[in-house]
């Protein structure tokens, strides 16, 4: 098996799914504990498969047939009649569950993973109404039901935060009541420092969600909203259909698994930026407060003392580059989704280069926020991808980034002209005219597609003077 898997790893397939084997539902030795039986052999094989996938992630992912079959149950998963007739052992329930697992992988690869979890508070983060019951009267407990269900739900919320999902609140409450629970309740796992934003007031929740989206610079389709109130959820569905809504289940014991059920936040890659994302957004709030202290955008940007590091992508940065290609939607000129195998091929080619942009200012680091992929075709350089994280927008970093990458490409390759594309999506209209602003001429246009050319080595435009580029 190892030889087969190694051959797969050496292939050009960008993403490969491996399945586990199904452990027999009954032991052939009955109650006797045998030294070695089929079940133990299958378990050993499955351990090998899982270890291989773990060591070769994210290029390899796993379809855990054994877990699915035993979760559904033998009667619903297996059809022994068709196994003997045509070697087709699975019933529709199993195939449906497998299709859902495969869909999660496809959605992650296509950049459809949700980025922000928005939570109601009363009867969502805890049981009861804190404004009426007080901190001591709400149901939130690490041992006893029903408080344990809310406690375990909060565990899942924090697991998502560790993976880089932004956690926010949108609740009709007195703000101080909610913050007191987060700060003082002995069983509240969710704390104020886990939040990237909140709207705790008596205003319309749809309007509050719109404000949160603007504050975080995210599209509403990146939001998942959880509430116990059917009327509130129906309002969101009617007014903001882009937002995914989830209701606290009537069977409260099903609640802790709610956020894991549909794979809404599933990704194939996690990076160092994911662990820091909440603090990065909290720092961004400080920058926005600073913006209000300046009469115009220019003086504000100058006050930030922006410093950028632009370099050829390193081994350490490669997974973050892959992640950005799979998740970035707004400032993304082509929205091409790449696997780690794809990025490795770009990096190893003598006729391609992958550049990264990391930025910081006097408030702290923004992390790795930009990717520029270019390919050489004789004396012309062709931009394959240009993308920027949404939290880095509004600072003209993209101009400094592109001009510096172009300068380095000219120095290394001696190219005489440039070509670039814009591929339209539902989310990237803000960058439709980006290449025109740099002096590129439109060569070709069709629905959803534009191709540009610059008949020169560099555009006739100066980089922003308030951005300092670190150079060796």
């Amino acid at each position: 098996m190892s030889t087969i898997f190694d051959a797969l790893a050496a292939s050009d397939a960008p993403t490969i799914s491996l399945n586990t084997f199904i452990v027999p539902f009954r032991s052939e030795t009955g109650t006797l504990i045998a030294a070695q039986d089929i079940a133990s052999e299958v378990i050993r094989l499955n351990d090998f498969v899982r270890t291989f996938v773990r060591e070769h992630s994210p290029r390899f992912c796993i379809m855990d047939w054994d877990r699915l079959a035993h979760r559904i149950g033998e009667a619903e998963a297996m059809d022994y009649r068709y196994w003997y007739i045509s070697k087709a052992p699975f019933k529709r329930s199993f195939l449906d569950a497998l299709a859902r697992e495969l869909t999660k992988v496809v959605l992650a690869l296509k950049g459809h993973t949700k980025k922000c979890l928005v939570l109601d508070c009363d009867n969502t983060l805890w049981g009861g109404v804190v404004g009426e019951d007080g901190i001591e009267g709400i149901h939130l407990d690490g041992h006893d039901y029903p408080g344990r269900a809310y406690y375990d739900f909060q565990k899942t919320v924090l697991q998502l935060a560790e993976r880089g999902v932004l956690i926010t609140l949108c609740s009709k409450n007195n703000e101080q009541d909610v913050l007191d629970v987060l700060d003082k309740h002995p069983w509240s796992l969710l704390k104020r420092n886990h939040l990237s934003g909140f709207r705790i007031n008596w205003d319309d929740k749809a309007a509050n969600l719109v404000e949160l989206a603007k504050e975080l610079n995210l599209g509403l389709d990146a939001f998942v909203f959880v509430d116990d109130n059917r009327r509130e959820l129906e309002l969101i569905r009617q007014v903001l259909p882009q937002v995914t809504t989830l209701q606290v289940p009537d069977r409260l014991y099903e609640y802790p698994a709610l956020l894991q059920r549909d794979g809404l936040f599933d990704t194939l890659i996690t990076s160092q930026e994911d662990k820091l994302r909440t603090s990065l957004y909290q720092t961004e709030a400080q920058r926005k407060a600073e913006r209000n202290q300046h009469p115009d955008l220019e003086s504000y940007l100058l006050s930030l003392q922006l410093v950028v590091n632009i370099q050829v992508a390193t081994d350490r940065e490669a997974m973050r580059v892959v992640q950005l290609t799979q998740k970035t939607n707004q400032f993304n000129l082509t929205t091409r989704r790449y696997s780690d195998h794809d990025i490795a091929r770009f990096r190893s080619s003598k006729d391609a280069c992958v550049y990264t942009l990391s930025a910081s200012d006097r408030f702290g680091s923004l992390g790795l926020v930009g990717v520029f992929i270019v390919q050489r075709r004789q004396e012309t350089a062709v931009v394959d991808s240009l993308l920027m994280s949404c939290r880095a927008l509004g600072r003209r970093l993209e101009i400094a980034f592109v001009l510096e990458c172009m300068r380095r490409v000219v120095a290394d390759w001696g190219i005489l002209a440039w070509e670039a594309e814009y591929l339209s999506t539902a989310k990237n209209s803000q960058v439709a005219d980006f290449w025109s602003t740099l002096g590129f001429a439109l060569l070709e246009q069709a629905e959803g597609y534009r191709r540009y050319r610059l008949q020169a080595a560099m555009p006739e435009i100066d980089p922003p003077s308030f951005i300092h580029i670190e150079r060796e």
Side-chain angles (χ1 to χ4, degrees):
M1 185 181 293
S2 177
T3 303
I4 296 173
F5 286 4
D6 289 340
L8 285 171
S11 72
D12 288 332
T15 303
I16 301 170
S17 171
L18 300 179
N19 64 272
T20 56
F21 300 89
I22 297 176
V23 176
F25 288 92
R26 285 174 292 277
S27 171
E28 73 271 21
T29 60
T31 59
L32 178 66
I33 304 299
Q36 191 170 7
D37 58 10
I38 293 176
S40 62
E41 286 297 302
V42 174
I43 291 171
R44 182 183 61 82
L45 285 173
N46 285 346
D47 287 342
F48 175 83
V49 173
R50 293 186 180 102
T51 299
F52 184 91
V53 170
R54 190 178 300 113
E55 293 175 350
H56 293 79
S57 175
R59 190 177 175 214
F60 284 79
C61 59
I62 196 163
M63 291 294 110
D64 201 335
W65 287 15
D66 182 55
R67 179 179 60 83
L68 290 177
H70 283 82
R71 187 186 75 193
I72 295 169
E74 182 181 17
E76 290 297 317
M78 310 304 295
D79 193 324
Y80 294 111
R81 175 184 53 171
Y82 283 106
W83 162 246
Y84 284 110
I85 293 173
S86 57
K87 298 297 186 290
F90 300 125
K91 289 185 177 179
R92 183 179 297 275
S93 295
F94 178 87
L95 296 175
D96 286 347
L98 178 59
R100 289 177 183 275
E101 294 298 307
L102 287 167
T103 299
K104 292 177 185 179
V105 175
V106 173
L107 291 175
L109 287 171
K110 295 296 183 181
H112 296 298
T113 299
K114 304 301 180 180
K115 299 178 181 180
C116 182
L117 174 63
V118 189
L119 300 166
D120 177 44
C121 292
D122 292 331
N123 292 309
T124 302
L125 275 178
W126 52 77
V129 178
V130 67
E132 298 177 2
D133 303 325
I135 293 180
E136 299 81 5
I138 61 174
H139 298 295
L140 183 59
D141 189 278
H143 302 293
D144 298 325
Y145 186 83
R148 178 63 188 268
Y150 294 103
Y151 178 81
D152 286 347
F153 176 77
Q154 288 198 21
K155 276 187 182 178
T156 304
V157 171
L158 294 193
Q159 289 167 2
L160 293 177
E162 281 289 312
R163 287 160 41 190
V165 176
L166 301 179
I167 309 300
T168 62
L169 304 181
C170 182
S171 178
K172 290 183 177 179
N173 275 101
N174 292 319
E175 181 178 303
Q176 193 57 52
D177 289 343
V178 170
L179 297 179
D180 283 346
V181 175
L182 302 186
D183 294 340
K184 300 176 182 179
H185 197 286
W187 291 108
S188 181
L189 298 175
L190 189 68
K191 301 298 182 183
R192 199 187 307 207
N193 65 302
H194 293 126
L195 303 178
S196 298
F198 58 81
R199 290 294 184 276
I200 305 170
N201 52 43
W202 300 99
D203 296 340
D204 177 80
K205 287 190 178 181
N208 280 334
L209 286 178
V210 170
E211 287 187 6
L212 278 171
K214 183 178 180 180
E215 177 181 317
L216 299 174
N217 201 17
L218 291 175
L220 285 164
D221 58 343
F223 280 40
V224 175
F225 178 54
V226 182
D227 201 322
D228 67 297
N229 190 310
R230 288 181 173 84
R231 292 182 179 179
E232 296 285 9
L233 291 170
E234 184 59 29
L235 169 69
I236 301 303
R237 295 187 191 107
Q238 294 293 328
V239 179
L240 303 175
Q242 313 96 305
V243 176
T244 298
T245 57
L246 298 175
Q247 184 176 345
V248 177
D250 293 331
R251 298 169 179 169
L252 200 57
Y253 51 82
E254 297 177 352
Y255 190 32
L258 178 70
L259 299 176
Q260 301 167 331
R261 185 185 62 196
D262 299 319
L264 295 170
F265 300 98
D266 283 3
T267 60
L268 300 181
I269 300 167
T270 56
S271 66
Q272 185 62 27
E273 272 80 2
D274 292 328
K275 298 179 180 180
L276 300 173
R277 183 161 288 118
T278 297
S279 63
L280 292 172
Y281 271 88
Q282 289 171 346
T283 305
E284 186 62 21
Q286 297 175 29
R287 294 186 182 96
K288 290 182 178 180
E290 175 71 14
R291 172 67 179 90
N292 296 328
Q293 306 302 314
H294 292 267
D296 53 56
L297 180 61
E298 293 296 325
S299 64
Y300 164 66
L301 293 174
L302 183 62
S303 75
L304 289 179
Q305 302 170 24
L306 281 160
V307 177
V308 301
N309 178 271
I310 298 167
Q311 63 181 13
V312 175
T314 64
D315 291 343
R316 185 177 179 181
E317 295 174 326
M319 285 299 101
R320 172 61 175 164
V321 170
V322 174
Q323 184 183 56
L324 282 173
T325 68
Q326 292 178 2
K327 294 179 66 174
T328 307
N329 296 306
Q330 296 180 65
F331 195 105
N332 194 333
L333 275 295
T334 53
T335 318
R336 294 185 172 113
R337 310 300 189 184
Y338 287 130
S339 68
D340 60 322
H341 189 59
D342 298 324
I343 296 301
R345 285 193 295 181
F346 279 124
R347 294 180 61 216
S348 63
S349 172
K350 63 180 178 61
D351 291 318
C353 198
V354 181
Y355 290 96
T356 62
L357 167 70
S358 300
S360 62
D361 60 21
R362 65 187 180 88
F363 289 97
S365 173
L366 281 78
L368 197 163
V369 292
V371 175
F372 183 91
I373 302 175
V374 61
Q375 298 186 81
R376 174 168 53 184
R377 295 178 188 167
Q378 297 177 336
E379 295 181 332
T380 298
V382 180
V383 180
D384 176 271
S385 297
L386 169 62
L387 54 95
M388 295 277 294
S389 171
C390 59
R391 70 169 181 270
L393 302 181
R395 298 169 174 83
R396 300 183 193 165
L397 289 169
E398 63 275 9
I399 302 296
F401 184 33
V402 171
L403 292 179
E404 180 65 12
C405 289
M406 293 177 74
R407 185 191 69 80
R408 296 187 188 187
V409 168
V410 171
D412 293 341
W413 288 349
I415 61 94
L416 301 177
W418 288 81
E419 287 190 5
E421 296 172 304
Y422 166 69
L423 304 180
S424 175
T425 71
K427 302 177 184 179
N428 71 349
S429 59
Q430 65 174 283
V431 296
D433 299 319
F434 179 80
W435 295 118
S436 296
T437 63
L438 291 186
F440 281 63
L442 183 64
L443 285 184
E444 181 183 355
Q445 183 172 4
E447 185 173 353
Y449 172 78
R450 299 178 193 174
R451 185 165 69 93
Y452 295 87
R453 186 172 177 85
L454 180 70
Q455 289 292 138
M458 291 293 295
E460 294 181 2
I461 183 174
D462 294 325
S465 60
F466 52 83
I467 298 177
H468 173 69
I469 298 175
E470 291 184 331
R471 296 190 175 100
E472 297 180 357

